[in-house]
Amino acid sequence: MRRDTFLKTLAALAASGALPMSAWAAAAGNVKMMIPANPGGGWDTTGRALGKAMTDSKAAETVSFDNKGGAAGALGLAQFVNGSKGDANALMVMGSVMLGGIITGKPPVKLEQATPLARITTEYNVFVLPASSPLKTMADVVAQLKKDPGSVKWGGGSRGSTEHIAAAMIAQKVGADPSKINYVAFRGGGEATAAVLGGNVTVGGSGYSEFAPYIADGKMKAIAVTSAQRLPGINVPTLKEQGIDVEIGNWRGVYGAPGITPEQRKAAIDMLQVALKSASWQEALKKNDWTSAVLTGDAFTKFVEDDFASLRAIMAKSGMI
């Protein structure tokens, strides 16, 4: 029996309940995961944790990884779209940062060419100051921002990332000109961390997990998180607590290859759901302070479309496009 026919049969049996999900998951084979970012950042951590959960739960036999950083994920997206058409075993980690990068960079490939599978997490950003900074609080940053927007150097992920958008939103909400913010984009989490530790930026922004070790040992001072409420077990005030009406989450998801069949798409979603229910994945959520935010199939497709529209509006209003 051809592999495609075999997989379709397994998917149909699993969907009907005639085949236990674990039996379907065990037949998944060898997954190839594109991580459209350099090693060490949030997408890399997410992709590798998901890959581990897939093998630990037997959702896949093996998972191999391919890092391709640059242009807010657009370089990896191009490689994925052009090199994996019809490959039911090809997955790509992505998220809100990629949407922002596509809006600002206008790459020749479109996200719509790939196949949306699932949103898996949301992570909120934390803003930090270098330990040596003369500024001590977000109020200090806001005062400097109002005085001279360009004198506050924000450091974070790629142009169009959630921390970039949050910085522009903060400026807008406090009455500074968002088009004059001084934002320095870094290719990966390691570069942004080094810039903060070296005092080369005024304020650093990233997912909490990336800065957490340096906050804990006093090398960075956390001054705000972008969530609606304080993060569980983390004593850092929200922007809203400090009178700045900004809330934004950095969600992450998974896409499949272009041109896969509806049956292959469902099989990939089933495979992901096995991994996301595993003890291995629950441990990763806790370790990295990620919030589970699972949304699959057509509901995820609509979510991405709506988020594209919302980000475009925010970025246009903030003078970013």
Side-chain angles (χ1 to χ4, degrees):
M1 183 184 292
R2 288 180 52 198
R3 176 173 171 77
D4 282 354
T5 304
F6 176 60
L7 291 176
K8 287 178 183 178
T9 302
L10 282 174
L13 289 170
S16 68
L19 179 72
M21 183 64 71
S22 58
W24 154 243
N30 305 311
V31 170
K32 294 166 283 186
M33 189 176 298
M34 163 58 67
I35 301 175
N38 293 330
W43 283 351
D44 185 61
T45 304
T46 300
R48 292 176 188 276
L50 179 60
K52 183 177 186 300
M54 291 171 73
T55 55
D56 285 354
S57 65
K58 309 301 182 185
E61 293 175 19
T62 65
V63 180
S64 60
F65 304 95
D66 185 8
N67 287 83
K68 181 69 175 180
L75 296 185
L77 172 63
Q79 182 173 311
F80 184 73
V81 166
N82 294 326
S84 65
K85 187 173 182 179
D87 186 346
N89 285 341
L91 301 178
M92 178 184 70
V93 175
M94 51 74 67
S96 55
V97 172
M98 182 175 283
L99 306 194
I102 289 171
I103 292 167
T104 58
K106 301 179 178 64
V109 294
K110 298 180 181 297
L111 181 60
E112 293 86 346
Q113 292 173 258
T115 304
L117 299 177
R119 184 187 68 191
I120 57 176
T121 64
T122 293
E123 183 178 20
Y124 293 99
N125 290 115
V126 62
F127 285 109
V128 300
L129 300 170
S132 60
S133 174
L135 306 178
K136 302 301 179 187
T137 65
M138 180 56 76
D140 293 340
V141 173
V142 167
Q144 186 66 27
L145 194 65
K146 289 180 177 179
K147 181 179 178 182
D148 180 5
S151 69
V152 178
K153 185 184 289 187
W154 304 80
S158 304
R159 181 173 169 79
S161 64
T162 50
E163 52 266 35
H164 186 188
I165 294 168
M169 292 171 71
I170 290 168
Q172 184 183 28
K173 292 294 184 180
V174 302
D177 185 347
S179 67
K180 293 183 178 178
I181 66 167
N182 182 3
Y183 185 82
V184 182
F186 294 100
R187 286 170 60 92
E191 291 181 7
T193 297
V196 176
L197 294 175
N200 298 317
V201 296
T202 311
V203 185
S206 186
Y208 190 88
S209 62
E210 292 186 43
F211 285 165
Y214 307 99
I215 294 169
D217 66 14
K219 293 179 180 177
M220 297 179 183
K221 179 175 175 57
I223 56 173
V225 290
T226 62
S227 51
Q229 292 87 31
R230 292 196 183 198
L231 300 175
I234 296 171
N235 188 29
V236 181
T238 67
L239 287 165
K240 288 189 171 185
E241 277 183 68
Q242 301 177 74
I244 305 168
D245 189 18
V246 171
E247 175 190 346
I248 185 170
N250 181 12
W251 61 266
R252 295 182 181 126
V254 181
Y255 267 58
I260 61 173
T261 67
E263 293 84 2
Q264 289 171 328
R265 183 193 190 202
K266 184 182 185 307
I269 291 171
D270 289 345
M271 178 175 63
L272 287 170
Q273 287 178 325
V274 170
L276 296 175
K277 291 174 182 175
S278 70
S280 177
W281 183 249
Q282 299 310 308
E283 182 181 334
L285 291 175
K286 183 177 181 180
K287 176 183 177 182
N288 294 289
D289 295 307
W290 295 333
T291 301
S292 180
V294 179
L295 189 68
T296 63
D298 292 344
F300 176 51
T301 303
K302 185 177 187 307
F303 168 81
V304 173
E305 292 170 352
D306 291 346
D307 204 38
F308 253 128
S310 175
L311 284 175
R312 281 193 187 97
I314 292 169
M315 294 167 81
K317 186 179 290 187
S318 301
M320 293 171 61
I321 55 173

